[in-house]
Amino acid sequence: MDVLQLIKTRRSIPRFKPDPVPREVIAAMLEAATWAPNHHLSEPWEFLILEEQARERFAEIRRDFRRTLFGDPDAPEAVKASEKVYRDAVETPTIIIVTTFVSPDPVQAEEDFAATFCGIQNMMLVAASLGVGTYVRPGGLVRDPALR
C-alpha cells in the first residue's frame, strides 16, 4: 500500500484483540518513530514498553486518575468508569508509553513535542501497514504526577 493510501485508511482502534504483538512489529514501530523529523536532531523521545507488572501499575494509575475526574470519586458511576479503564489497560496486549524531553527553551520544547508526535504517527502507520491496530491516548493523564 502506498503511503497516502495508508494515511487515509489508518484508523484508531480502541479495542484490541488479546493476541500479543510480535516483537518484530514493535521493533519496526520504534525504528519508524526514530526517523521522525526533529529540529537540531534532538531526538527528544523515549519509548517504554509496558509488560506484566508495569502494565498493571499503569492500569492502576489510569483507574485512579479517572476517578479524579468525577465530583464524587466514590459515586457508582465513577467507580464503574474507573474500573473500565483499568480493565482496558490490563487487557491491552502491548502498551508503549512515549515521553518527550521538555527543554527549558519554550521554542525547542514546542519543536520537540511536535517531533515526538511525528514519531508517534510513524509508529501508528507502520503498525497499520503490518495489520496491527493502535490508539493514541494523550490527555490529562499525561500530566498526572503518578504517571510521571
Side-chain angles (χ1 to χ4, degrees):
M1 178 181 308
D2 78 351
V3 175
L4 183 57
Q5 187 63 26
L6 185 58
I7 290 169
K8 288 179 177 181
T9 58
R10 190 214 61 79
R11 295 289 177 267
S12 292
I13 310 297
R15 300 221 187 282
F16 303 108
K17 294 178 182 177
D19 310 336
V21 178
R23 287 287 186 206
E24 311 81 61
V25 172
I26 295 170
M29 292 170 66
L30 296 176
E31 180 183 5
T34 65
W35 284 98
N38 57 101
H39 196 218
H40 302 295
L41 301 178
S42 61
E43 298 183 358
W45 43 68
E46 183 174 23
F47 309 98
L48 307 164
I49 301 168
L50 304 186
E51 297 176 325
E52 301 168 14
Q53 292 175 337
R55 183 175 44 233
E56 174 79 24
R57 180 65 184 125
F58 176 72
E60 292 168 358
I61 291 168
R62 279 192 78 203
R63 178 190 60 210
D64 296 346
F65 177 77
R66 177 57 64 98
R67 289 183 77 179
T68 69
L69 302 179
F70 289 85
D72 178 2
D74 295 320
E77 61 273 9
V79 172
K80 182 179 178 181
S82 63
E83 289 306 317
K84 180 185 181 316
V85 298
Y86 173 84
R87 278 190 318 278
D88 288 349
V90 167
E91 294 170 2
T92 299
T94 301
I95 297 174
I96 302 174
I97 301 280
V98 182
T99 66
T100 188
F101 174 75
V102 180
S103 171
D105 173 15
V107 173
Q108 185 67 45
E110 185 176 281
E111 290 173 355
D112 288 345
F113 184 76
T116 300
F117 260 88
C118 287
I120 292 169
Q121 175 74 350
N122 285 0
M123 290 172 64
M124 294 172 76
L125 290 172
V126 165
S129 77
L130 298 172
V132 172
T134 58
Y135 191 94
V136 64
R137 288 197 164 122
L141 180 62
V142 302
R143 288 177 284 289
D144 184 52
L147 180 61
R148 289 178 176 238

